[in-house]
Each structure stands twice: as C-alpha cells, then as structure tokens.
Amino acid sequence: MLLRTLVVLFFLSGASGLIYQVLWLRLLALVFGVTVWAASTVLAAFMAGLALGSFAAGRLVDRADRPLAWYGAAEVLIGLSALATPLALRAVEQLYVVLYPLFPDQLPLLTVVRFALSFAVLVVPTTLMGATLPIVIKSSLLRAEGLGERVGLLYATNTAGAIVGTLLAGFYLIGGVGVSAAFQLAAALNVAVGLVAAGAARFVAPAKVGGGTVAVGPLSRWRPDGGSGGSDVSPRPPLRLGEGKSGGEVESPSPLAERGPGGEAAPGVRYLVLAVFAVSGFASLALEVIWFRVLVLFLPATTYAFTIMLATVLGGIALGSYLVTPLMRRRLDWLAVLALLELGIGVAALFSLTALAHGYGLAGGGETPRGAPVVGQLRVSLAASVLAMLPATLLLGLAFPIGLRLWASAPGDGQKHAGERIGVFYALNVVGAILGALAAGFVLLPRFGSQVSLAIIAALALASGLALLVPVARTRRALAVGAAGVGVALFGATAAGTPDPFAAALAQRYPGQQLLWHEEGVQTTVTVQQLANGRRVLYLDGLHQADDIPGTLYTHRLIGHLPMALHPDPREVLVIGLGGGATPGAASQYRGAAVDVVELAQSVVHGSEWLRHANYDVLRQPNVRLRVDDGRNYLLLTPKRYDVITADVIQPYHAGAGNLYSVEYFRLARRVLKDDGLMLQWIGELPETQYKLIMRTFLSVFPETTLWFMGHLMIGSTQPLQIDRAAFERKLADPATRAALEQMRIPSFEALLGLYWAGPEELRRYVGAGPLLSDDGPMVEYFLSLPRNEPPRDVSGVRGDVQRHVTR
C-alpha cells in the first residue's frame, strides 16, 4: 500500500516539476533575454538547485526515522516557494536593470550576475525538488533488497508525470489559462501531494537508522502466517541481502564481476559506475541539445513541436525504466547488462540521424509545409521525434535504475547509507547534464556541427560501455571481448552511413533547392539556399526568414522605409532583428539617420551577407551599428531614446515569438520612443482572431495607431499622426533617399499617402472589446488555444481618410 501511494504521489510531483521548469525558463527569459548565453545560465541555475538538493538530502535522509514525513514537508514547501517565484522575478528584474549599467558589454560578469540572480530565485524550490528523489526512494525501502526494483518504478513514474506536465504546460495551460494559473495549479498539486504524504507518514512505523537494515512499514504486527491485525497486505520482516526470499531465489547481484563480501559490487566497480553515470548525464543533455537543433531543420519550430520533442525524450526514459523494473529481482549480471546498454546507447544515438533522414518522408514529413493542417504538423513532429530520439532514450531509461542499484548497494551496510548514495548519484548525473548542455551549445555545435557533435557524444557512450566491460572481462572474458567487438563494429558501420542532416532536411522539406551555405551557430542554425530560378532564400532553424524574391523583398524594405518616410526628422532609429538585412538597409538610406540593429544570432549576421545585393549592403553602411543581443532585453535595459522603432518580420506562432507580441513588449518599446516617435509593427495575413488580438494589444499601448499597406503594417504613436509634406519632400531632395523610395514606387507625397488604410477610430471599431496578448497569456504563440481553420482577416471594409493626418 505504501509503495502504491508513493507511486501516485511521485507521478503528480513529476507533473508539477515539469510545469514549473517550463514556466520558469519562460519567465526568466523575459528578464535576461533568450540569447543562448542567458538561457543556458538560467538552465544551469535551475539544474544546480536540483543537484544541490539531491546531494544535501542524500546526506541527511539516512538520519531520518520518518522519511515519508520529510517528503511531505518538502512537497508543501516546493508548492509555496514556487508560487512565490513570479513575485520574486519582478524584484529581480528591477535589480537587474540597476546592476546592468555597471557591467555594460561585459559578458563574463553579466553571466555571473544572471546566474546569481536566477539561482537566488530558484534555489529554494529547485533544491527541494532535487531532494525528493533520495527522500522518496528512502521512504519506499520496506526492506533492504528492494532498492533496484523500487528505483526503477519510482523513477519511471516520476518521469511519466513529467511527460504529463510537459504536455499540459505546452498544449493547454500557458495558452489556455495563462502562466499565473499554471503556477497555481502546479503549486496546488505539490501541496496536495505533501499533505497526503504527511498524513500517510502517521501510519508508517519509524525507520531504524542503524544496524544495516531499514525497516519501514505500516504500524501493524507481523505474523508468521503472513496475516496482520485487520490488514490484507502487510510487510514481511526486514531481510538482509543474501537471505532467502519467496520462490527460493537469493537476491544478489551477479557473481560474474568483482564483488564485495555481501554480493554487491566492490568499491572499485561502484565508483566506475558512478563515473559512467556522470558521463551519462553529460551525454544525455548534450544529445538532447543536438537532436533539437537537427529536428528544427525538419519540423516547424513551434512551441508544440518543442513540447513533443521534450515529451518524447521523457517518454523513452520512462518506458525504459518501466520495462526494467520487473527484471530487477532476477539473478542477472547487471554490470554486464549495463555495459551492453551503454554500447547500445552509443550506436542508437549515432543511428538517430540515419533513422530521421530515411524515416521522415515515410511519416509524411514532405507533405507538411507551412500552413498545413495542425494535426498533420503534430503527427509529423511526433513521428520525427520518435524516429530520432526514442531508441537511445529508451536505453537511457533502462540503464538508470541499473546503475543506481549497482552504486547504491554498498558492501556490508544494507541500506544504512542508501539515501546518501542515491543523492550523490543523482547530483553527479545532474552536474554532468549541466556540463553536457553547455558543451553541446557553446563548443560542439558551433565548432563541429551536428553530425560530428553527435558522433562525439555517441562515442562517449560507447567508451563508457567499453570501460564497464573491463571488470566484466575478469570473469567472462569471451562475453566482454565479443560485446566490445560487436559494439565497435556496429558503431563504425553506423558512422560510415550517417547522412548530412542539412542535405537530408533540404531534400525532404525543400525539394529542388540547392544548399549554398549553412552555419550551426551558438544561437541559431542558418541556411542559405538557391531556388531553380537563381533566387536566394535565408532560413533560420529551417523556417523561411528572408529572400530576394521581389514581392517579399518589397515588404521587408517597406517595413524600414514607411516609418522613416512618415516621421518628420528621424535621427535615432532602432531595428529589432537583422534577418536578411532589407529592413535596416532601407532605414539606412535616410540622411542624418543613425540606425541601431539588434540581432539575436551572430550566424544570422553571417547569413545576411548572402543577400548583400538585396539589403543595401547594410552591414557596411557607415550609419549602421550592429549589436548581437536579445531585442526585448535591449528595450528593457537601454537608456537611449529613439525617433523610430521597427522590426523584421517575426511570425507570431514561432516558438518564443509571443514575447515580441505582448502588451508588456509594446510598453517597453513605447518607453524608449521619444514623445513624437513612431513604431512600426508588421501584422501580416493572420487568421481574424489572431489578427485582432495583435491589433487590439498594439492599440492599447499606442492609441493613435494607423493601418497601412493593405492591412499588413501598423504605425503606432501616442500622439495623433501628422504627415508633413514639406518634411517628406526634403527627404526626396537627397539622391540616395529618392532612389531608394522610387525603387519602392513611392516617388511622391501622394504615393506615400496611397499606402494608408485606416485610422485609430476605424481600428478600434474593428477589433472591439476583448482580451490582450500578454506575457501571462501568449495566445497567438500557443495558437491551439484559439479558433482554428479561420479564413485570413478581411479588412477591406475598414477604411479611413488619410487627409485628416496631413499637415496643412
């Protein structure tokens, strides 16, 4: 009964934990930005708390006579402290704004500040979360010999809960009820789990904390006939390792490797296993980073695609742990089994690119271009994720309980120090994971690319398996040599046939296009491809961003030209996002204008060079200053004020794009605008509900918004827009500006006015009353929360008179 209760509680705890992780990473990105440096720092702070909690709890829980009560208290405190983190984040944001000017453009110092502030916010809930694994496993040890089986069951169940939490947060909570409500739900789960655990602890006898056994069980007397005072199920008396059990079997690890006096692995073997799982943590997170970077080349980079990817990783781990659980009581050579699994992880990880390249088309991947039905996109995302990641993650899930069993079952003390050993094992595994994520993102992918990076990490797993075969070979030489030979041969054959992921993605997703150049940068993978007609296309993480096709190029240039033409004297100009460079290039064509461009990824800067002929050679314009940074974070921190703010086209349904369409983002932009400043916002051909949401949100911050270019562009201002003929004609007097505007078919003041569509009164009537997009409710990014299969917006009936804006 106790174990069944713990299984349910740990499932719910896993669900709430992943909900928190998704929410925290999202909210902290609003403070520190979404650059890979900032995001990695936040992730490191999160996982450092887990490692600290696991290590500390492991050292303390062995002294606890009621570990289940400890678990209940930890869960309640997780819920209460996590619920307070949004308030703490607001205080941290204010402090960060104060500290930032002290370290301008000093990335190492800023990284330290970001880590310290992130850790300060997350340290309490994440340390408690890390503590739960050793505590709950210690609570489950009704008798000493059940460690491996219980670890497998509880770890699998917690991971299964994490899958549910991932799917709930990604598919429903954030888009459906909002971030605040999601925090409240997760906190309620934790508090409920804690209260149930604390109540159950009252019916569990105190554990013996000395002597080599741990006796934890319901408060009932054990009887030789198996009965108990009114209970159908009661615990048997504590058994020591090596004593008999039902069916005549003897619980003992394999005698085939070096063993301690009680049948457990000897210290040298145990420390080898511990080292292997530190490496395994490194490899697992590094693989996840590499897989995600490759998969976005094949899949639309929506938040739902990333949710499915993460759920697949967790699903493989959970399934593997569930599968191995019933086997943990068998008399197997678990060290040899673990060695074979590590060899298999290496081969399966390396094979993932081959499986994805050859299986993607069979799953219908080539039939789901942008705009395909959502169900079809999700189906392909799931199929691609399973093909690439499930085999290796399944083996990782099989290996974890086995490794923990081998490490935690030390000679001579039963489970006396099991909690401490579990804490050390999990803490080192998490530290390895932190280092793996950082190494893959900052070193391997930028330097070697995904194909070679994957081979390096797979080789680490293979090497771990070979290292484990060394002690196995002392008693089973033929098995060890044969396994090593087969593993190395399979690895070599797989490596020889591993395809280039770029070539595979290009052939599957964009047939008929020629790859000209690509770069796997720290932040973004950028490709430049050539169409059959010679036109060039720039893709960011597999998504179309810019090209030199006349129609697209006109729109991107107009986003730069329109606010510059409308403002009477634009001197300070900010462009969020470089993209292909056409937008800031257009803005740079005005005499006296100083253009600041804030681009998230250095690889995009390099990619834009392939469109120099279309972007006015923007990076070499003397009046253009480039800054590689997060655009929203720049608005939060800059002391500058601008006459014009505009932005490259960013599709609102892309993962993370909700941060650039919220009311809070528009308020940050208004803060850095001068009193007579203008902000241009692209709004595009979206379904009506999404179109109105964005327009209504923009109007709430810029009440004098006007609509231009057939409803594609909004010009925001806090004062009524006044269009000055004389000021525009002064711009036309400059030859470079005139040439650029004539190329845009705006050779005169009348042509400029011809782009006008509607004014603020018409727009307010059109959008009506309704919800706004916010950081708490990014509904357009989480578009499944909105009506589907709507036709594109129709603003043909929303027209206004431009003459009311013309200065007489």
Side-chain angles (χ1 to χ4, degrees), residues 341-695:
L341 287 174
E342 290 293 330
L343 295 176
I345 290 167
V347 174
L350 190 60
F351 186 71
S352 61
L353 292 184
T354 303
L356 179 61
H358 293 292
Y360 178 75
L362 296 177
E367 302 172 4
T368 57
R370 186 180 67 178
V374 171
V375 173
Q377 292 186 18
L378 297 179
R379 174 177 57 81
V380 173
S381 296
L382 177 60
S385 299
V386 168
L387 285 168
M389 299 184 291
L390 187 64
T393 56
L394 178 68
L395 296 176
L396 285 167
L398 287 166
F400 189 88
I402 297 172
L404 186 51
R405 168 193 170 130
L406 288 169
W407 159 253
S409 298
D413 72 344
Q415 305 304 330
K416 182 179 179 182
H417 297 291
E420 180 178 352
R421 292 190 294 273
I422 292 166
V424 168
F425 186 91
Y426 184 58
L428 284 179
N429 186 258
V430 172
V431 170
I434 296 171
L435 297 176
L438 296 177
F442 292 127
V443 180
L444 294 177
L445 282 170
R447 184 165 184 177
F448 301 109
S450 56
Q451 186 176 6
V452 175
S453 297
L454 190 71
I456 292 172
I457 299 302
L460 273 180
L462 184 79
S464 297
L466 294 175
L468 290 170
L469 286 175
V470 173
V472 173
R474 294 170 186 164
T475 54
R476 302 187 69 178
R477 184 177 182 83
L479 172 65
V481 172
V486 171
V488 171
L490 285 175
F491 189 89
T494 304
T498 301
D500 180 353
F502 288 94
L506 173 62
Q508 295 280 356
R509 196 170 181 188
Y510 303 110
Q513 298 185 16
Q514 176 188 355
L515 179 63
L516 298 178
W517 172 88
H518 78 269
E519 179 179 317
E520 294 183 78
V522 171
Q523 185 76 41
T524 304
T525 296
V526 181
T527 59
V528 177
Q529 296 167 196
Q530 185 167 284
L531 306 180
N533 61 6
R535 296 292 184 180
R536 293 176 177 178
V537 185
L538 178 74
Y539 295 99
L540 309 186
D541 288 334
L543 293 169
H544 176 278
Q545 181 59 41
D547 57 50
D548 58 1
I549 299 170
T552 307
L553 188 57
Y554 181 88
T555 300
H556 283 253
R557 286 177 170 175
L558 186 61
I559 292 171
H561 277 297
L562 184 59
M564 300 295 290
L566 292 174
H567 194 283
D569 187 23
R571 295 288 178 175
E572 297 293 335
V573 183
L574 175 64
V575 181
I576 303 294
L578 174 66
T583 295
S588 72
Q589 299 303 295
Y590 292 77
R591 178 182 293 177
V595 182
D596 291 340
V597 184
V598 181
E599 168 53 49
L600 184 63
Q602 185 67 49
S603 52
V604 174
V605 177
H606 299 156
S608 69
E609 292 285 345
W610 289 80
L611 295 173
R612 286 171 57 186
H613 61 284
N615 63 24
Y616 304 93
D617 200 7
V618 60
L619 297 179
R620 291 167 183 81
Q621 293 290 341
N623 61 337
V624 173
R625 297 183 295 265
L626 175 69
R627 179 186 181 89
V628 178
D629 201 351
D630 175 86
R632 173 165 171 157
N633 205 238
Y634 178 79
L635 292 176
L636 173 68
L637 300 169
T638 183
K640 291 189 68 173
R641 294 297 179 265
Y642 290 95
D643 299 299
V644 167
I645 298 177
T646 186
D648 193 35
V649 173
I650 300 169
Q651 296 290 349
Y653 52 81
H654 291 174
N659 295 345
L660 301 180
Y661 285 90
S662 68
V663 66
E664 291 87 353
Y665 168 73
F666 294 137
R667 286 169 183 162
L668 288 174
R670 185 182 64 185
R671 184 187 72 84
V672 304
L673 270 180
K674 297 178 182 177
D675 291 340
D676 61 346
L678 301 178
M679 178 178 182
L680 183 142
Q681 177 63 50
W682 174 86
I683 193 169
E685 289 276 359
L686 296 171
E688 184 176 14
T689 299
Q690 299 180 33
Y691 186 84
K692 287 184 175 180
L693 268 171
I694 295 173
M695 183 178 287

Side-chain angles (χ1 to χ4, degrees), residues 28-48:
L28 284 161
L30 299 176
V31 178
F32 302 120
V34 295
T35 66
V36 71
W37 305 98
S40 297
T41 302
V42 169
L43 180 63
F46 171 82
M47 299 188 76

Side-chain angles (χ1 to χ4, degrees), residues 589 591 731-742:
Q589 299 303 295
R591 178 182 293 177
K731 294 168 189 170
L732 289 178
D734 179 72
T737 306
R738 173 180 284 277
L741 286 169
E742 287 178 346

Side-chain angles (χ1 to χ4, degrees), residues 189-208:
L189 276 178
N190 283 122
V191 171
V193 166
L195 293 177
V196 171
R202 298 179 59 192
F203 300 96
V204 177
K208 299 176 183 179

Side-chain angles (χ1 to χ4, degrees), residues 106 266 274 301 347 367 376 397 429 442 448 542 598 655 701 708 765 774 807:
Q106 299 182 50
L274 183 64
V347 174
E367 302 172 4
N429 186 258
F442 292 127
F448 301 109
V598 181
V701 178
W708 298 75
R765 285 196 298 269
S774 66
T807 301

